[in-house]
Each structure stands twice: as C-alpha cells, then as structure tokens.
Amino acid sequence: PAAPLLYPYGLDQHDHKNPKLDDGTSRKVSLAVPFTFYSKEYRALYVNNNGVISFDTPVSQYTPEPFPLADGRPFVTPYWADVDNVLGGDVFYRETTDPTLLALITKDINQYFPKIPYTATWAFVATWDHVAYYGSTSNKGNTFQATLTTNTETSFIILNYWDIQWTTGVASDGDPETGLGGTPAHAGFNSGDETNFYNIPGSQTEAIINITKTSNVNIPGRWAFQVDEFKVTGVPTEMPQVANNCWL
C-alpha cells in the first residue's frame, strides 16, 4: 500500500489472513516473547475481525461496550465495531523480528517518547484493510492498524487510522447505506482488572469517524501509548468536533 502512515502489511509481508467469516477471528497466536500489558505478561492473543486484539480468549462480540468491561477481558481495540469481511476487505496479521521494520518502529517510538530509551526487538502488526460493516449496502471500507512492540521490558502500542468511512454495523443500529448512527465504534484499551482503561476521544460517538485527523503524537491518524505500565501522554484536550454532518 502507498500509505505512509501504515507499517507494511499484506501477503507480500508474509502476513496471515483471517478467514472470511462474520464475527470471526484468527487462530490462537502463541507469541515468541511475552507482551506486557497493564503490568501483566501475555503469551497468546487473537486478532478478531471486529476490530479487537484480545489476550487469551477470542472475541465475537460486535457491538462495543463502554470501558472498563465488567468481565475482566483484556482488550486492545483499535476500532471495535461490526466488521463483516465476507462483504469486503481483509484482516491481516504477523509476528515479526524483521530488522527493517523494527528499525522504523524504534525510530518512531524514540521520536514520540524521547525520555524512554527503547530499541524494538519484536513486533506484532495487525491490519484491517478496507473492511466492510455488517449489513452494508455500500462500498464503504475502513483501513486501520494496530502494532504491538516490545524490547521484553517496555511495551508500546501504535494505532494507525488511514481511512475510516463507517462507524456502525446494522446490528448495532447503524444505517445500511451510510454505516453511521446507532452505537458507533470504540477505540481504546481495557486492562482486564475492571478498573483501568483508556478511551480515545470520540469513542462511541459519531465523532469517532474523525479519528484519521486526531493524534496524541502530532501525526494525524496515529495514536501511540506505553502499555507495560499504561501511561497516557499528549492527549488532545478537545474532542473531535462534528457539526451539521460536516467533519471539522
């Protein structure tokens, strides 16, 4: 893809591809190194079609819930909504130690977190490529990506939003033609301890469609977080605005 915001993905990057299945998921991915998220180590994850990376257990739920979740599921939700890859798009993922990619990720993390010494030794890249929404009667698709990276001690997650054209599937009360309305998508992090969480501004509101223009690292469409001991840095003080159906 010619999208500089996104890290390289696709079959030519030796990505795996999820089956075409509504509310489907990847197989269980056993990680080569443990990934620390909210002070807990995880050694397995699932890439769920509905815009969720989950640790230890797959997720088929298609309508997002507010965080913190009461059931203790640890989630990374780049864009939790009712994706239907049968109707369009693909979900890719890979675990990697490719030196070129790790050097790029290291450069980015060092730019965003200059006070934290960091050299990436491992990464996991999951990409939702022009995925459709459940019940769609349009050709709208969303392209977004989540990258997990660690040096075995410090962990970061980078969320990239390249093209967001819809917020809601029909089963979440969205409109079949526009993919808007109802219960919009959720972007954020749920620790699994029923207490700690983070919601990216605009989550579960109509303004989430504007996430390609927001950032906490001054790069529109990119959000980056230290997650081994979760820290929120550089968050905009203003919510993305929406007025008269014109995105500002």
Side-chain angles (χ1 to χ4, degrees):
L5 184 75
L6 301 174
Y7 297 120
Y9 70 92
L11 296 179
D12 62 344
Q13 299 294 323
H14 307 292
D15 278 2
H16 301 279
K17 188 165 73 168
N18 277 9
K20 297 280 190 181
L21 179 65
D22 182 40
D23 301 328
T25 184
S26 69
R27 61 175 178 80
K28 180 179 180 179
V29 181
S30 297
L31 304 179
V33 300
F35 186 79
T36 304
F37 181 65
Y38 280 101
S39 303
K40 185 175 179 181
E41 283 191 355
Y42 295 95
R43 295 177 176 271
L45 57 73
Y46 293 84
V47 179
N48 304 279
N49 288 357
N50 289 335
V52 176
I53 294 175
S54 55
F55 298 101
D56 292 341
T57 184
V59 174
S60 60
Q61 184 177 338
Y62 53 82
T63 299
E65 292 180 42
F67 292 162
L69 296 175
D71 59 12
R73 288 176 293 176
F75 274 12
V76 177
T77 58
Y79 201 81
W80 186 11
D82 197 359
V83 169
D84 188 349
N85 66 345
V86 177
L87 290 179
D90 288 299
V91 182
F92 296 103
Y93 65 91
R94 75 184 179 282
E95 187 179 24
T96 181
T97 54
D98 173 66
T100 302
L101 179 62
L102 293 180
L104 179 56
I105 291 172
T106 297
K107 179 184 174 205
D108 288 341
I109 294 295
N110 290 340
Q111 177 185 339
Y112 310 146
F113 302 91
K115 295 181 180 178
I116 303 174
Y118 184 76
T119 301
T121 58
W122 173 94
F124 185 90
V125 182
T127 310
W128 288 257
D129 181 43
H130 201 73
V131 288
Y133 54 93
Y134 179 80
S136 172
T137 59
S138 74
N139 293 319
K140 289 186 173 185
N142 287 346
T143 300
F144 56 94
Q145 184 179 72
T147 298
L148 287 59
T149 181
T150 186
N151 62 3
T152 70
E153 293 181 359
T154 309
S155 302
F156 295 91
I157 292 178
I158 300 171
L159 303 178
N160 294 321
Y161 301 94
W162 177 245
D163 187 19
I164 300 296
Q165 300 181 359
W166 62 267
T167 64
T168 321
V170 170
S172 307
D173 297 322
D175 183 281
E177 293 183 13
T178 66
L180 305 175
T183 303
H186 192 111
F189 302 85
N190 191 64
S191 68
D193 64 11
E194 301 179 24
T195 303
N196 296 295
F197 65 96
Y198 178 70
N199 298 327
I200 288 181
S203 286
Q204 290 194 291
T205 76
E206 59 184 356
I208 196 64
I209 203 168
N210 211 35
I211 199 168
T212 57
K213 301 175 185 175
T214 64
S215 176
N216 67 337
V217 292
N218 295 316
I219 296 176
R222 174 169 286 181
W223 291 75
F225 302 88
Q226 183 182 353
V227 299
D228 51 293
E229 294 180 9
F230 194 91
K231 295 181 174 68
V232 178
T233 57
V235 175
T237 56
E238 293 185 4
M239 291 273 287
Q241 298 298 309
V242 76
N244 299 325
N245 295 322
C246 295
W247 305 103
L248 305 179

